[in-house]
Amino acid sequence: MKSLITTAILATSLFAATAANAHAPTQLEQAIAGEHRSDKNKARDMYRHPEETLIFFGFKSTMTVVEIAPGGGWYTEILAPALKGTGKLYGAHYPDTGEDNYYSKSRRKLEAKLATNEVFSEVELTNFTPRVASDIAPAGSADMVLTFRNLHNWKVDGVKQIFADSFKALKPGGVLGVVEHRMPTSQSLEKNGKSGYFPQQLTIDLATAAGFELAASSEINANPKDTADHAKGVWTLPPVLRLGEQDKAKYLAIGESDRMTLKFVKPAK
């Protein structure tokens, strides 16, 4: 009888330990929930779906990852701690030329942000310039290159170069993950190029021309309520809300933009 009781106790303990381990948060989950992220930034998770998006791309905390044009560091806040100690994060940013322009100011602002918290201590910044060949990471070193909501800034020629830089940085079999404001097929880039949206098929065509293969697409970041036809382009919507109080409730109800989420792969051979 004692043997049966002991066996039952051991079995219960083993089950409890297994259940606890099964629900232990991953490094990515811990990064997303981290106290270093402001409530304002966490409020964007419902629109940007960082965990689902990174899992779709195949993200692992042991990877070497390049984030192109991290801007204010919204995704950097997640990627840096999710890779810290186990992987590597390069932030490919516009260089600081010392000039008083948007690009240099953006670089200095990000550098200041990275200095505020130990979770960013392993991030390495590199330089890139759209339309100019750049080493965003050592050639053939990256498992994954990511860019979020940037293609519209680079225009077609810039996207071509960035995709070429990404191809060079990636290992064979490496992933290029793209999230971008999606221009409806009813609109043309020629007429709507300043709207902040970019065509999905053109994105696929440019990536394919750079040597990539489309591995998968996802509607994780889709928003059917977004018509992409707004007075101040995509910036009419949150979080920018460029019209201020004008029709604010309407645009908050729409939410952030409709976005394509595309996973490309550099062929293994």
Side-chain angles (χ1 to χ4, degrees), residues 44 46-49 148-150 152 179-184 195-198 218-230 232-241 251-261:
R44 309 258 62 81
M46 65 182 290
Y47 301 114
R48 300 180 179 182
H49 312 101
F148 303 96
R149 308 177 311 282
N150 286 307
H152 61 281
V179 177
E180 172 63 319
H181 312 294
R182 177 164 45 196
M183 181 176 288
S195 68
Y197 294 85
F198 201 82
S218 173
E219 295 300 297
I220 295 169
N221 297 299
N223 181 0
K225 293 186 289 186
D226 177 21
T227 64
D229 183 14
H230 311 296
K232 297 294 183 179
V234 72
W235 304 280
T236 309
L237 301 175
V240 178
L241 294 170
Y251 296 117
L252 286 173
I254 292 172
E256 294 196 15
S257 67
D258 176 55
R259 292 164 187 168
M260 64 178 101
T261 304

Side-chain angles (χ1 to χ4, degrees), residues 99-151:
E99 299 173 87
D100 189 27
N101 58 34
Y102 167 81
Y103 303 104
S104 292
K105 286 181 179 178
S106 179
R107 174 66 174 248
R108 291 194 290 268
K109 186 176 180 180
L110 180 63
E111 288 176 343
K113 180 184 182 71
L114 297 184
T116 64
N117 197 301
E118 194 268 341
V119 299
F120 303 119
S121 63
E122 296 180 9
V123 179
E124 182 174 343
L125 294 184
T126 59
N127 296 327
F128 90 97
T129 304
R131 294 174 291 282
V132 176
S134 306
D135 292 324
I136 59 175
S141 68
D143 298 289
M144 182 172 286
V145 174
L146 301 171
T147 185
F148 303 96
R149 308 177 311 282
N150 286 307
L151 305 191

